[in-house]
Amino acid sequence: MWFKVLEHSPKPDALKEISVNGVELVLTNVKGRLYCFENRCPHEEVRLSLGCIKNKKIKCALHGYSFNLETGWSSEEDLERLKIYQVKREKAGIFIEMEDS
Ligand code: FES
């Protein structure tokens, strides 16, 4: 199910915190492409919105591990995968795909 989360795209490389169905997410805009992921580092569960975007990856502020924004895989092989959500941009706004709870 698609949920409308914003009217407009976030500014480039901004980490916009949003909440859908009680799940904390981050929406970001990398060179015009939108990405959405869970706002929880799979390593030690700090908020990834405290990190920064580098080379199409989100870099965690705590230990510096990076997660690919398309696959969710980390730069560290033994870490759990970051949960990624589908995003679409329409005239009516920005939508995230998530299971209805
Ligand atoms: S808590 Fe994110 S890399 Fe350690």
Side-chain angles (χ1 to χ4, degrees):
M1 180 173 186
W2 291 92
F3 294 87
K4 183 176 176 181
V5 292
L6 291 175
E7 291 288 336
H8 305 287
S9 300
K11 291 188 174 139
D13 291 350
L15 295 168
K16 178 78 179 164
E17 294 181 331
I18 56 175
S19 175
V20 177
N21 275 349
V23 181
E24 301 299 319
L25 306 172
V26 178
L27 187 66
T28 191
N29 170 2
V30 181
K31 296 185 176 160
R33 176 141 186 217
L34 299 177
Y35 298 93
C36 183
F37 50 90
E38 194 167 7
N39 195 6
R40 180 184 67 88
C41 181
H43 184 221
E44 289 188 4
E45 305 196 359
V46 301
R47 284 169 31 219
L48 284 171
S49 55
L50 299 172
C52 62
I53 299 293
K54 263 196 173 170
N55 300 327
K56 283 196 183 172
K57 292 178 181 170
I58 173 70
K59 184 174 179 184
C60 181
L62 193 55
H63 304 107
Y65 297 161
S66 294
F67 297 87
N68 186 299
L69 294 175
E70 291 181 1
T71 66
W73 288 116
S74 163
S75 56
E76 303 297 312
E77 287 177 21
D78 56 345
L79 285 186
E80 193 184 313
R81 189 175 179 171
L82 174 65
K83 190 152 190 194
I84 302 291
Y85 294 86
Q86 295 301 306
V87 187
K88 68 179 179 183
R89 183 177 4 213
E90 294 190 340
K91 276 188 186 163
I94 310 297
F95 293 79
I96 303 297
E97 188 175 35
M98 184 181 278
E99 296 294 315
D100 199 7
S101 61

